[in-house]
Amino acid sequence: MVSGLAAAPSAQAQSASGSDSPTFGKEFTYGVNFNTQGGLIGGVSVRSTRVLNEQWSRFWGVEGVEVKHPKEQHFVTNSGGSVVMGKTNYLFVLRPSVGLQRVIFRKAPDSGVQVNGLVGAGPSIGLLMPYYITYDYTLRDSGGHALSPEDIRSEQYNPDTHTKLEKVLDRSPVFSGISETKPNIGAHLRGALSFEYGRYREAVAGVETGFLFEAYTKRLTILRDRLEPDSRLSTNFFPSVYLTIYLGHRN
């Protein structure tokens, strides 16, 4: 009899404790990506996560980034414009992915940091869009005076055609070659840790950092040079380290 009465408060305490830690079934986040294959800001991402149990969740997401060649260098032209010398294509990548996430360290209900480990994979859709420059074809004498009517054209950079640096005037608008964009299919795999912060149970904020390995069925050309074969400047493998800062909510 006594032992039975003693057990009752313990069960009630457990029930109260459980009510203080409500469960959430879904989570939606969006973030800004920084990576070693991108520029100042690599791209953006969105992700939807569904909780499976106390430890495991599954997610799907989409990431959009620009991939740059490690040898890219900006150059200021004589006319005051700015171009990336040798760049012949932009590479934009869409990465739909699915994966699993596991809680490594769970934070307190209203504060602290939660650490999650995750793996994800999916297809990669690489979009090669021509990089256009403005080139001056006007015939000029040694003093720079025109010997023919002005002939300035906006074209995709070609090292075999645009041989004189002083005749490159500027970069054309980013989407000048959008109608000539060529899709390329590949795949990616990522492994990461996420560190979730926040004082409110319904709010999500944190950072995710990890490695991403991406490969395509053929070499993708971003830069070209007359003195080097395309095979040396092109690759079909794009490994990177990334950091994503994200916000979101759960319900």
Side-chain angles (χ1 to χ4, degrees):
M1 176 69 75
V2 175
S3 61
L5 291 174
S10 176
Q12 290 175 357
Q14 290 176 1
S15 176
S17 176
S19 66
D20 288 340
S21 302
T23 59
F24 297 92
K26 295 181 180 179
E27 181 178 290
F28 182 82
T29 58
Y30 49 91
V32 178
N33 175 277
F34 306 86
N35 65 81
T36 54
Q37 292 280 4
L40 180 61
I41 296 179
V44 295
S45 64
V46 295
R47 180 179 295 171
S48 177
T49 304
R50 179 179 291 275
V51 176
L52 300 177
N53 55 46
E54 291 185 357
Q55 296 295 326
W56 291 95
S57 303
R58 68 169 180 262
F59 66 84
W60 66 265
V62 179
E63 184 176 73
V65 301
E66 180 184 1
V67 175
K68 297 189 176 184
H69 196 284
K71 292 186 177 181
E72 287 191 21
Q73 292 185 343
H74 285 270
F75 175 82
V76 178
T77 68
N78 293 335
S79 61
S82 176
V83 297
V84 178
M85 293 310 303
K87 192 175 182 78
T88 190
N89 286 302
Y90 295 98
L91 175 57
F92 300 105
V93 182
L94 292 176
R95 298 179 182 133
S97 63
V98 295
L100 289 173
Q101 176 174 286
R102 187 182 190 280
V103 176
I104 298 175
F105 177 81
R106 189 177 300 279
K107 71 183 180 72
D110 296 316
S111 63
V113 179
Q114 178 167 306
V115 182
N116 304 313
L118 63 92
V119 292
S124 293
I125 305 170
L127 303 174
L128 277 178
M129 186 176 73
Y131 182 86
Y132 271 54
I133 62 168
T134 304
Y135 195 79
D136 187 0
Y137 283 92
T138 307
L139 295 177
R140 302 180 185 275
D141 60 21
S142 58
H145 301 98
L147 300 176
S148 66
E150 187 176 73
D151 184 7
I152 296 176
R153 308 176 197 174
S154 180
E155 300 175 327
Q156 181 180 11
Y157 174 76
N158 184 331
D160 299 322
T161 302
H162 308 119
T163 57
K164 296 183 179 180
L165 185 60
E166 66 275 10
K167 287 183 172 288
V168 178
L169 303 181
D170 203 350
R171 179 194 70 183
S172 298
V174 174
F175 296 106
S176 298
I178 190 170
S179 63
E180 302 169 63
T181 300
K182 298 177 181 179
N184 298 268
I185 303 300
H188 68 272
L189 173 69
R190 77 175 73 227
L193 292 175
S194 69
F195 301 86
E196 180 186 314
Y197 307 88
R199 295 177 57 86
Y200 304 102
R201 297 173 180 174
E202 294 81 9
V204 182
V207 297
E208 177 181 310
T209 182
F211 297 90
L212 184 137
F213 302 93
E214 185 167 63
Y216 291 87
T217 56
K218 66 177 184 179
R219 291 176 176 270
L220 305 185
T221 300
I222 300 175
L223 293 187
R224 296 187 64 195
D225 191 302
R226 282 190 302 162
L227 302 180
E228 290 191 65
D230 289 348
S231 59
R232 292 188 61 183
L233 289 175
S234 304
T235 183
N236 62 339
F237 185 49
F238 297 89
S240 64
V241 177
Y242 74 91
L243 172 74
T244 297
I245 301 175
Y246 62 84
L247 297 171
H249 64 273
R250 58 168 66 94
N251 52 50

